[in-house]
Amino acid sequence: MKETEVYLNVREISEVHEKKVQLKDVAQLWCSDPAAVARLNALTIKTIRKDRDFRYVESVLDLLPLIRNAVPSAQVTIVGQVNYIIDYHRPKKENYAWEWLKTGFVCLVCFFGAAFAIMTFNNDVDVTKVFQEIYYVVTGRESDGFTILELSYSLGLAAGIIGFFNHFSKWKINTDPTPLEVEMRLYEDNISKTLIQNADRKESGIDVT
């Protein structure tokens, strides 16, 4: 029997909404045989029994017998993750009012949190007094607190924040990811690694929880 080369690339984490998880939901595969590709993409690799949102840690090694059963001549080469996560979320109707409410709440928290942080920093280093001293040294007059220094500082602070976060509304300054996107990806990577490590510890009888 001629062997069928199959290259399997499994994503580290995949979000699914159906209880019957198919191979195409968690992985990309390449094979020279289109019929084998269609058969493997439709292969059910897990059936979720619990009716709740949950993350399941799985191993690619468990997929190999299923693939060989579907395509007996398959010679599988793994080019992606060895352990991966199925992030199951129950199907829900979109509630736009609730989504807008959550978005508004996050915006308010970020706005007032950032404003409080800036005000406490300015108060801590006494920026007002520094500006008054600079204004008096340069002009020889007392500052009333509303001078070109305060205006330049306010505009510069806004421009600096926009430049640092690399986007304003829907527009981005360049194609680089924003600092917030970088931090979110690092957070997601740490969550995935922790889930996989915890699963390995529980299977071996070593668990810190």
Side-chain angles (χ1 to χ4, degrees):
M1 181 182 296
K2 184 179 178 181
E3 290 185 347
T4 304
E5 288 285 345
V6 176
Y7 291 89
L8 184 67
N9 182 14
V10 180
R11 294 181 290 273
E12 186 174 42
I13 183 169
S14 301
E15 182 177 322
V16 299
H17 298 277
E18 300 294 334
K19 289 193 172 183
K20 284 191 175 182
V21 183
Q22 296 179 322
L23 185 60
K24 65 181 180 181
D25 297 326
V26 302
Q28 292 178 321
L29 57 89
W30 179 91
C31 179
S32 58
D33 184 358
V37 172
R39 199 178 313 136
L40 291 176
N41 277 329
L43 183 64
T44 300
I45 60 173
K46 186 177 181 65
T47 301
I48 296 173
R49 307 295 180 185
K50 298 179 181 178
D51 191 24
R52 64 187 180 100
D53 298 348
F54 197 76
R55 289 177 174 175
Y56 300 89
V57 179
E58 305 291 333
S59 174
V60 174
L61 299 179
D62 296 330
L63 299 178
L64 299 182
L66 299 177
I67 293 175
R68 292 300 296 269
N69 287 337
V71 182
S73 61
Q75 183 67 31
V76 183
T77 301
I78 301 171
V79 295
Q81 302 291 327
V82 176
N83 294 310
Y84 64 98
I85 299 170
I86 297 175
D87 188 10
Y88 172 71
H89 291 268
R90 290 168 296 176
K92 296 178 182 177
K93 293 183 179 178
E94 293 185 354
N95 189 337
Y96 292 104
W98 175 242
E99 295 298 327
W100 278 105
L101 184 62
K102 289 193 295 183
T103 302
F105 176 75
V106 171
C107 290
L108 289 175
V109 170
C110 292
F111 176 80
F112 287 107
F116 182 76
I118 293 171
M119 288 188 292
T120 52
F121 169 77
N122 291 339
N123 185 64
D124 186 48
V125 300
D126 205 352
V127 173
T128 302
K129 185 177 180 181
V130 173
F131 284 168
Q132 289 175 348
E133 294 288 341
I134 295 174
Y135 188 80
Y136 181 76
V137 169
V138 174
T139 65
R141 293 179 296 175
E142 293 291 338
S143 171
D144 61 358
F146 298 96
T147 66
I148 187 64
L149 292 175
E150 285 78 14
L151 177 62
S152 301
Y153 178 73
S154 300
L155 295 177
L157 185 64
I161 291 173
I162 294 173
F164 176 75
F165 285 102
N166 191 27
H167 76 97
F168 180 76
S169 185
K170 295 180 180 180
W171 298 278
K172 295 183 69 174
I173 299 173
N174 52 50
T175 57
D176 294 339
T178 67
L180 185 59
E181 288 174 333
V182 172
E183 290 300 321
M184 288 300 296
R185 296 300 173 268
L186 289 174
Y187 175 76
E188 290 176 354
D189 288 343
N190 290 334
I191 289 291
S192 298
K193 290 177 182 177
T194 302
L195 287 170
I196 292 171
Q197 290 173 359
N198 284 349
D200 291 339
R201 284 172 173 263
K202 288 177 180 178
E203 288 176 1
S204 61
I206 303 173
D207 185 18
V208 295
T209 54

